[in-house]
Amino acid sequence: MENNTRRDFLKKATAATAVAATATTIGAPAIVRAEKTYNWKMVTTWPPHFPLLGEGADKLAEMIRTMSGGRLNIQVYGGGELVPALQAFDAVSQGMVEMGHGAAYYWAGKSPAAQFFAAVPFGMNAQAMNAWLYAGGGMKLWEDVYSKFNLKPLPAGNTGVQMGGWFNREIKSMDDFKGLKMRIPGLGGKVLSKAGGTAVLSAGGELYTNLERGVIDATEWVGPYNDYMMGFYKVAKYYYYPGWHEAGSVLESFVNKSAYEALPEDLQAIVTNATIASNMWVLCESEAKNNIYLDKMLKEEGVILKKFPADVISQLRKYSVEVLEEAVANDPESQKVYDSFKAFQKQQLAWSKISEQPYYELFD
Amino acid sequence: MENNTRRDFLKKATAATAVAATATTIGAPAIVRAEKTYNWKMVTTWPPHFPLLGEGADKLAEMIRTMSGGRLNIQVYGGGELVPALQAFDAVSQGMVEMGHGAAYYWAGKSPAAQFFAAVPFGMNAQAMNAWLYAGGGMKLWEDVYSKFNLKPLPAGNTGVQMGGWFNREIKSMDDFKGLKMRIPGLGGKVLSKAGGTAVLSAGGELYTNLERGVIDATEWVGPYNDYMMGFYKVAKYYYYPGWHEAGSVLESFVNKSAYEALPEDLQAIVTNATIASNMWVLCESEAKNNIYLDKMLKEEGVILKKFPADVISQLRKYSVEVLEEAVANDPESQKVYDSFKAFQKQQLAWSKISEQPYYELFD
C-alpha cells in the first residue's frame, strides 16, 4: 500500500507543479514543487494571550506554522482586536477571516445544539468528551451542526473539571440559592433560575468589580489557575467545588469551510492534527497548574474551600435534566445531539465506575 | 513576528533548493523547493495491526505520511516481522531502523527508570501521566534517560485505567494471593511476589492456553476491549477491577535521534505532533469501546465482575511503595525520575480530589 500511496502522491505533485527540475541532493530522492503559501487570520473570543485559552490559540497557530514549514501562517487576534469577541463565529462563517477560536456554547443563539460541544450542566468531563467527539460519533454531529454556517469545527482544548465558583456566602442548602445573584451563563444560569437565583450577565472584565461591589453575590469562572489570575480570592471568601455546570469545557477552533477545502490535503491534515495536539496542550497545562494555584490561594490568601452538599448536588442535577430537556424540546437537531451525548455519557459513566472512579479511590 | 518568520523561512527555502523558478499559480505567492523524501521503518512490539496498540502505530504512520505530503513514509512492522518484538529498542538505538513503537516498561533491563514512563503500580492515570509528561517536566526526564541510547521518546497512546485481571478463583483477602500463579510482568509481578504469589512470565500468545490448562491461575492484560479479543472470558470466570498495577499505561514511540535530527524542522514537528494526536486517538478508542465489550461479556458470556476488597488494595499499595523504592534504590537516575513522578502524582491527586473524583460522585 505504501508504494501505491507514494506513486499517487508523486503523480499529483508532478501534475501540480509542472516543474521538470531533478533532485539537488545527491543520493536522495527529491520532489520539486511550487507551493502556495496561505496567510490566514484567526479571531478569538479571548483577550490576547489570555492564560490557557488565548495561549491555546497562539500555540495552535504556532504548531500549524511550524508543521507547514511556513506555508500556512495564521495571525491570531484577541477578542475585539479585529471583531468583537462574540462576532467571531459570524466573521468566520461569512469568510471575513478564515479561522476562529472560542467555545461552542457562545453560539447557542445560532443553534441550541452547539452547547453540547462545549459543556452542559452535569455533562461529560474532558476524557469522556474527547472519546465522544473523536471516537463516539460526536464530531460527525458537530460537523453537521456547523456546516450550515459554512464552518468546520475542531476541538482545540479542554479546561478539565472546573470549579463551582466564588461565593460571598455559604451554600448549605438549596435555600441559599434563593435570591442569589450569580454570574453563570447559558444552561447553568437556567438551572440557577430554577433554584430561585438570578443569573446575571457580566463580561469577564467586569466580574471582579461587580463581585466587590455586591452587584453579584457569586461568580463561576474556570479553575484555580485562571481564577487566581482574575483575583477573585480578594473579593469572595468561599471557593466551591465541583463545577457541576462545566465538567469538561471544550475549546473549539472553527475554520471557514471553503477556506479549509481550498487547502491541499497535507495542510488540511496539519490543521486537524494541530488542533488535537492543542487540545492535549491546554488540558495538560491546566491540570499541571491548577493545584499549584489552589494551594497558593488556600495557604497564602485565606480562601475557604467548600464542597457543595450532596442534597444540593442531587437537586441541581434534577433541575439540569429539566433544563436540558427544555432546551432541546423544539429543535430536532438539538434533540439528536442530546440523545447521542446522553447515550455516550451513560456508557462512559458505567465504564468509569470500574476504571477512573476506583482509580481515585485507590488513594483515599 | 509573522513577517520575520516568513522572511526567514523563504531565505532558508531558497538556500536549500537553489532553484530560481517563479510561481506557477497566477496571483498566488509560491515557494519552489526541492524536497527530500524519507522512507523510514517502524518496528513495533505488537502483533501486526493489533487492536488499539498496533492500530495506534499504523495510525501514527498514516498521520505522518498525510501531514508530510508523502515526504516521510513510514513502513510499520509487527513484532517479529523484521526483528523480535523485544529487540525493537536495540534496533532503533543502533540505527538499523529509524523508529519504534512499544511501551517503556519493556526496557527496564536497559534502565529501571524507563518503567515510570509506561506504568508503575499505583501510578498515575492517563490524564495525570499526560500532564506530567507534557506540562510537568516528565518529557525532559524521559529524553535524558533515552538519549544515552541515541533515542528520542514520544508518548503515542494510553490504555486508560486497565482492569485488574482474570482470575479462576475469588480474591477475598490477601491470603488468596498465596501460591497464586499469575501472569503479571514487571513491578506488578514483584508486588505479587511480596503477597506470596508467583509472577509467571508468559508471552501474549500463550496466555489463553496457559490459563485454560492451569499453568497459571490468573492473568492481567489490558481492558475489556482488548481482553475480549483474547477470549479470556472463556477460560476464567472472575474479572477484577481496578487495575492498580497499570492505571494509565503509556504507549511510546521512539525515534533514532540521529535520524530525527536529520529531518527538516517541519517534519520534526510533524512527527512530534502526530504522536500527540495518536496518543489522543488510542485513549479515545479505548474509552469508547471498553464498556461495549464489558457489557457483552457480562450479559452474554456470564463473566463475574469483582472489585478488589479495600483491605487488599491497601496492602497491595504498601507493597507497591516498597517495590518502587527497592527498584530505584541503587540507581540515581531512577531515583530522580521517581521523585519527579511521585511529587507530580501527589499534587495531581490533591487537585483530583476536588475535580475529577467529585465529578464522578455527581452521578453516584
Side-chain angles (χ1 to χ4, degrees), chain A residues 2 9 29-31 33 35 37 69 73 125 127 287-288 290 307 347-348 351 353 356 359-361 364, chain B residues 2 9 29-31 33 35 37 69 73 125 287-288 290 307 347-348 351 353 356-357 360-361 364:
Chain A
E2 196 202 33
F9 170 73
I31 300 165
R33 50 178 181 177
E35 285 170 340
T37 62
N73 297 295
N125 66 353
Q127 190 159 305
E287 286 294 300
N290 273 333
K307 188 177 184 176
Q347 164 191 309
Q348 198 60 17
W351 166 234
K353 290 278 167 211
E356 293 287 341
Y359 160 75
Y360 289 112
E361 289 166 6
D364 276 350
Chain B
E2 195 199 31
F9 171 72
I31 298 165
R33 52 176 180 177
E35 284 169 341
T37 62
N73 298 295
N125 67 353
E287 287 295 298
N290 273 334
K307 187 178 186 177
Q347 163 191 312
Q348 198 60 18
W351 166 236
K353 289 279 167 210
E356 292 287 340
Q357 192 165 355
Y360 289 112
E361 289 165 6
D364 275 349

Side-chain angles (χ1 to χ4, degrees), chain A residues 44-98:
Chain A
T44 74
T45 60
W46 325 115
H49 323 298
F50 197 66
L52 282 182
L53 321 178
E55 283 176 347
D58 294 342
K59 185 86 185 165
L60 175 59
E62 179 198 316
M63 287 190 289
I64 292 172
R65 185 178 296 129
T66 312
M67 285 200 280
S68 70
R71 288 179 295 138
L72 178 48
N73 297 295
I74 302 171
Q75 179 77 41
V76 181
Y77 295 89
E81 289 189 333
L82 201 62
V83 295
L86 297 183
Q87 286 175 28
F89 189 93
D90 284 341
V92 182
S93 172
Q94 291 157 16
M96 194 185 129
V97 296
E98 295 82 4

Side-chain angles (χ1 to χ4, degrees), chain A residues 101-236:
Chain A
H101 199 278
Y105 46 31
Y106 294 150
W107 326 122
K110 307 279 177 189
S111 164
Q115 300 167 95
F116 291 97
F117 305 112
V120 296
F122 291 85
M124 293 189 264
N125 66 353
Q127 190 159 305
M129 277 303 283
N130 284 329
W132 178 54
L133 291 170
Y134 293 125
M139 278 315 301
K140 177 70 177 65
L141 293 166
W142 196 358
E143 283 164 6
D144 288 349
V145 171
Y146 274 30
S147 74
K148 289 191 302 293
F149 304 96
N150 197 34
L151 291 175
K152 180 181 171 63
L154 293 153
N158 200 298
T159 62
V161 179
Q162 298 198 3
M163 289 293 289
W166 297 89
F167 292 75
N168 63 17
R169 61 180 199 236
E170 277 189 79
I171 301 294
K172 292 180 176 162
S173 75
M174 286 306 291
D175 283 345
D176 295 311
F177 284 112
K178 296 217 165 81
L180 187 88
K181 291 170 287 173
M182 180 171 180
R183 186 268 186 180
I184 173 169
L187 298 176
K190 290 186 177 157
V191 174
L192 179 70
S193 300
K194 282 197 188 262
T198 307
V200 180
L201 275 179
S202 194
E206 298 159 6
L207 280 177
Y208 181 94
T209 312
N210 284 349
L211 197 53
E212 189 180 26
R213 295 187 186 162
V215 177
I216 51 176
D217 309 307
T219 186
E220 60 78 54
W221 190 240
V222 185
Y225 173 45
N226 278 96
D227 291 9
Y228 178 86
M229 301 294 166
M230 297 291 278
F232 296 135
Y233 60 88
K234 295 175 199 157
V235 289

Side-chain angles (χ1 to χ4, degrees), chain B residues 39 53 183 206 230 246 279 292:
Chain B
N39 292 298
L53 321 179
R183 186 268 187 183
E206 298 160 5
M230 297 291 278
E246 298 200 34
N279 190 352
I292 296 168

